[in-house]
């Protein structure tokens, strides 16, 4: 069920994603496979909520509001599992985003993948997971760069 990379290497060269504010974005690629940008931003917002990045939360909230997302749905995002305001497709995407974020070392739980397979193609799933991994990696790299190195004991 894993998509082979041959499809991507033998086809036309991929579009290079545009960088925005130093973050890795895959939006230009996801647009070709018709992955909803609003849904991606909703998943990104949930990931940065889990990571506790206040400035990222403000940025993604602003982007979502500009796309027409309501303030009430954004407030409900922390408890999205209990809320009827989110569609099943959105819940599957949010569940997969949380699974990738909360299981960075181990494999993604099969239940999260199965639920997402009901709403997304293989290509969409791969790009979605790559985007979530990119958000996580960017956050951890930023945290490392701003880490206070003086608080660590010197190497012996």
């Amino acid at each position: 069920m894993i998509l082979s990379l041959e499809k991507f290497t033998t086809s036309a060269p991929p579009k290079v994603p545009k960088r925005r504010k130093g973050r890795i974005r895959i939006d230009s690629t996801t647009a070709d496979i018709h992955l909803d940008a609003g849904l991606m931003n909703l998943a990104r917002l949930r990931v940065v909520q889990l990571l506790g990045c206040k400035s990222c939360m403000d940025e993604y909230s602003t982007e979502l509001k500009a796309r027409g997302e309501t303030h009430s749905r954004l407030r409900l995002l922390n408890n999205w599992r209990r809320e009827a305001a989110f569609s099943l497709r959105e819940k599957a995407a949010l569940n997969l985003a949380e699974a990738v974020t909360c299981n960075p070392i181990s494999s993604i739980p099969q239940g999260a993948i199965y639920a997402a397979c009901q709403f997304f193609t293989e290509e969409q799933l791969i790009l979605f997971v790559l985007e979530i991994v990119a958000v996580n990696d960017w956050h951890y790299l930023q945290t490392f760069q701003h880490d206070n190195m003086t608080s660590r004991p010197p190497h012996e």
Side-chain angles (χ1 to χ4, degrees):
M1 189 151 191
I2 302 288
L3 180 67
S4 170
L5 291 178
E6 291 176 20
K7 286 185 179 181
F8 294 110
T9 57
T10 58
S11 62
K15 294 180 182 178
V16 177
K18 295 180 182 178
R19 296 184 131 227
R20 185 169 164 246
K21 295 185 182 179
R23 293 187 185 186
I24 299 171
R25 302 292 279 224
I26 307 175
D27 290 335
S28 62
T29 307
T30 56
D32 295 340
I33 300 181
H34 309 291
L35 195 57
D36 182 24
L39 180 60
M40 282 303 311
N41 279 339
L42 195 64
R44 287 183 194 117
L45 177 59
R46 182 64 190 137
V47 168
V48 297
Q49 281 180 340
L50 291 171
L51 297 173
C53 183
K54 193 83 165 154
S55 62
C56 297
M57 285 188 257
D58 293 339
E59 178 185 341
Y60 290 129
S61 295
T62 303
E63 286 181 27
L64 282 163
K65 287 176 187 175
R67 289 185 174 273
E69 189 65 62
T70 63
H71 181 69
S72 61
R73 274 181 36 111
L74 294 179
R75 278 188 295 120
L76 297 173
L77 189 57
N78 280 331
N79 296 318
W80 62 267
R81 283 184 172 86
R82 297 184 185 126
E83 302 300 333
F86 299 100
S87 69
L88 291 176
R89 185 171 195 257
E90 290 171 329
K91 287 182 177 185
L94 292 169
N95 187 46
L96 184 59
E98 284 187 5
V100 171
T101 302
C102 296
N103 299 302
I105 305 297
S106 61
S107 62
I108 302 169
Q110 290 295 316
I113 295 171
Y114 179 75
C117 283
Q118 306 303 311
F119 299 99
F120 303 102
T121 65
E122 282 186 70
E123 292 88 359
Q124 289 174 328
L125 277 175
I126 290 169
L127 289 173
F128 184 82
V129 170
L130 286 174
E131 177 65 25
I132 299 307
V133 168
V135 171
N136 279 287
D137 287 349
W138 184 87
H139 180 271
Y140 288 118
L141 287 173
Q142 289 300 101
T143 302
F144 178 73
Q145 287 177 349
H146 298 296
D147 193 11
N148 184 2
M149 300 299 281
T150 59
S151 64
R152 295 184 181 168
H155 292 289
E156 296 178 4

